Amino acid sequence: MSTKEVVVILDFGSQYTQLIARRVRENKVFSRIVPYNISAKDLQAYSPKGIIFSGGPASVIEKNSPEPDKNIFKLGIPVLGICYGMQIIVQTLGGKIKHTKDREFGKTELFIDSNQDIFNHLPGNFTCWASHGDFVTKVPPGFQVTAHTFNAPIAGMAHRQRKIFGVLFHPEVTHTEKGGQILSNFLFKVCGCSGRWTMQSFIRESIENVKKTVGKSQVVLGLSGGVDSSVAALLINRAIGKNLRCIFINNGVLRKDEPEQIKSVFKNMYHLNLDYVDASKQFLSKLKGVVDPEEKRKIIGREFVKVFEIEAKKFKDAKFLGQGTLYPDVIESIPAFGGPTSRIKSHHNVGGLPEHMKLKLIEPLRDLFKDEVRLIGKELGLPDPILFRQPFPGPGLAIRIIGEVTEKRLELLREADKVVIDEIKKSYLYNELWQSFAVLLPIKSVGVMGDERTYEHVLALRCVTSVDGMTADWGKLPYEVLGKISNRIINEVRGINRVVYDITSKPPATIEWE
């Protein structure tokens, strides 16, 4: 991304780091997240207008706590430290930090001592969101105290000559009443940003980049019909037209009527070069007898690569692979961001292709968040049913069937899932929910239909609300909607006699069952 104006965020492991980046972008200023240990030289290569140190779970007092390159403070670029970010500035530049047993966590009243710079045009006091157990007892030389709370005598600080600022709370979260204004003040009053980064400018720049990179070569792209691959396809198509070859692989675990819908939209409406490959029998034969969810993922991933490789070889002029990779995928794939994390399960989306294919990557969306991709899609004219389609995992219905995947169980789930989506849309809840779907369980239960005893499958309904899928809460659906869904499934889908509702948040559960 060669934008002229960028604010760089050093990630010290905060759960809110991506939120900081999004808040910056809401001000039409491009932001980029980098590991906390980036060198001053590498950081300077971005030519940033400003630098933000994120919060983090560590304590600056602990041994081996993450520290930035001290030379960053010599670059003359404005710096804003948030929570841990402020504390590490204090420790690095000669101030003092003290650990206390009484943490300041949650909403607290902030009192402004200096209405300048990042606190310009703000009221004398307002509610902020704090989350820390370390307090600043002495600011570094040349710094002024700019804010305090009842428990923290130093909740804000500033070195105006060096343009280095710190806040002990989190302005990026909505719980901080004037947080948006604080970040805006930093961007425009301190850093001198112009705020010209828009989706239109992104589209223009991306098209030019693709044209320049690809030239007269062909690009092959695996089109799934999801938002990411669809927007990537339309963007690349705008740049190179017929030199984009889209491959849509039916892996046998798609939803009801999905292949027909995707072919209709992209072949008939957008006239893309779309090659449809029905490999459903191949995938299902490999899944026979497999019950372990990780093994299902691996099988589907391997088979996808095999099929895609065979199809891609048909295009002799193809030198590039188009992908709908998003910014969170990039960040989460690099261990240095936020420190080491345990693998809960492999990624839903299929991984890279074999190196011997020798295809170079074209990822026009790799600098964007999901909501930004939807804005791009809207600019490109993508229809709402695809633009606002809820996330669907790469392994498809295979991980929504607990246990073995069979044709019969797939048919049951497809019919039930269609009812779920139909009723959610009828109730105008589809766009309010992050995901809403059915899960076929590996158990049967006794029921009564008419005067006869039944012994049939149990179906779980899963509906969640979320902003980015990283955390989620179960959807508080009206009882009438739940009743309609249950009634229709039991009456219309022969083989299911019981519907249960999953009321677990993420964490501790994941959104998908497998």
Side-chain angles (χ1 to χ4, degrees), residues 432-449:
E432 303 297 318
L433 296 166
W434 175 260
Q435 276 176 274
S436 45
F437 57 90
V439 181
L440 191 64
L441 304 186
I443 56 173
K444 290 186 175 182
S445 72
V446 175
V448 179
M449 299 184 79

Side-chain angles (χ1 to χ4, degrees), residues 282-313:
Q282 177 178 334
F283 278 81
L284 293 180
S285 67
K286 295 291 183 180
L287 288 168
K288 188 175 181 180
V290 178
V291 298
D292 180 73
E294 278 300 292
E295 190 57 31
K296 290 180 190 177
R297 279 189 171 80
K298 289 174 183 176
I299 288 169
I300 292 170
R302 284 197 301 265
E303 293 308 305
F304 178 90
V305 169
K306 286 179 186 177
V307 176
F308 191 91
E309 185 177 6
I310 291 169
E311 294 301 315
K313 281 181 178 178

Side-chain angles (χ1 to χ4, degrees), residues 352-379:
L353 294 175
E355 288 184 10
H356 64 258
M357 285 190 71
K358 295 179 181 177
L359 293 176
K360 298 175 183 176
L361 285 178
I362 287 286
E363 300 171 307
L365 310 178
R366 67 178 283 115
D367 285 321
L368 299 183
F369 291 103
K370 192 80 170 188
D371 54 338
E372 293 168 335
V373 172
R374 287 198 167 100
L375 292 173
I376 295 292
K378 197 168 187 66
E379 289 288 333

Side-chain angles (χ1 to χ4, degrees), residues 449-501:
M449 299 184 79
D451 291 324
E452 295 182 1
R453 175 186 181 275
T454 62
Y455 188 59
E456 294 177 339
H457 290 277
V458 178
L459 189 89
L461 176 62
R462 179 68 159 153
C463 299
V464 298
T465 57
S466 180
V467 174
D468 51 19
M470 297 178 75
T471 60
D473 194 11
W474 61 277
K476 280 56 172 189
L477 269 59
Y479 292 151
E480 312 88 75
V481 176
L482 290 171
K484 283 181 183 177
I485 291 173
S486 176
N487 189 57
R488 278 194 60 190
I489 288 173
I490 290 169
N491 280 284
E492 296 175 23
V493 185
R494 188 176 295 273
I496 297 173
N497 70 353
R498 190 180 298 269
V499 177
V500 297
Y501 192 43

Side-chain angles (χ1 to χ4, degrees), residues 13-141:
S14 172
Q15 60 180 319
Y16 302 130
T17 298
Q18 291 189 33
L19 186 55
I20 299 170
R22 292 165 71 117
R23 293 286 181 258
V24 172
R25 294 184 184 196
E26 285 169 6
N27 285 279
K28 297 181 180 179
V29 175
F30 183 68
S31 60
R32 185 179 290 282
I33 300 171
V34 299
Y36 70 87
N37 55 0
I38 187 173
S39 70
K41 183 180 178 182
D42 288 343
L43 181 59
Q44 195 171 22
Y46 289 108
S47 300
K49 297 282 286 187
I51 301 166
I52 297 177
F53 288 4
S54 81
S59 166
V60 298
I61 299 171
E62 295 171 358
K63 283 185 177 181
N64 301 319
S65 56
E67 297 179 4
D69 182 346
K70 295 178 181 179
N71 291 318
I72 288 173
F73 299 106
K74 299 176 182 178
L75 297 176
I77 300 169
V79 177
L80 171 63
I82 295 174
C83 196
Y84 180 91
M86 171 176 165
Q87 294 166 18
I88 199 65
I89 291 172
V90 170
Q91 178 136 307
T92 304
L93 298 183
K96 290 185 179 179
I97 302 287
K98 181 182 179 182
H99 187 70
T100 174
K101 293 181 181 179
D102 299 321
R103 294 183 64 200
E104 191 170 50
F105 182 82
K107 291 183 178 180
T108 187
E109 196 74 6
L110 182 76
F111 298 90
I112 305 300
D113 300 315
S114 176
N115 288 87
Q116 297 181 52
D117 307 304
I118 63 172
F119 294 140
N120 194 38
H121 289 126
L122 295 185
N125 61 290
F126 53 87
T127 300
C128 71
W129 181 266
S131 177
H132 59 91
D134 292 340
F135 289 84
V136 180
T137 57
K138 181 182 178 183
V139 295

Side-chain angles (χ1 to χ4, degrees), residues 255-284:
R255 290 169 290 192
K256 189 175 178 65
D257 302 326
E258 200 163 11
E260 291 72 25
Q261 291 168 0
I262 292 171
K263 285 189 287 183
S264 174
V265 170
F266 292 98
K267 210 163 189 174
N268 302 335
M269 185 185 299
Y270 288 105
H271 308 292
L272 296 185
N273 276 331
L274 179 65
D275 288 84
Y276 171 68
V277 183
D278 187 355
S280 52
K281 289 183 180 179
Q282 177 178 334
F283 278 81
L284 293 180

Side-chain angles (χ1 to χ4, degrees), residues 150-219:
F150 287 117
N151 297 317
I154 305 173
M157 66 178 191
H159 193 305
R160 294 196 168 87
Q161 287 73 33
R162 299 178 68 182
K163 294 187 176 180
I164 301 174
F165 302 85
V167 291
L168 205 56
F169 55 93
H170 289 273
E172 70 273 24
V173 302
T174 54
H175 303 301
T176 296
E177 287 180 347
K178 300 297 178 179
Q181 185 63 48
I182 292 169
L183 290 174
S184 178
N185 283 341
F186 177 69
L187 296 173
F188 299 112
K189 293 187 179 300
V190 177
C191 300
C193 294
S194 60
R196 294 177 183 172
W197 187 72
T198 64
M199 294 301 101
Q200 293 86 350
S201 66
F202 176 88
I203 291 172
R204 287 194 302 270
E205 190 173 344
S206 294
I207 290 172
E208 288 306 311
N209 286 342
V210 173
K211 281 181 179 178
K212 185 178 178 181
T213 304
V214 174
K216 294 182 179 180
S217 301
Q218 287 185 334
V219 176

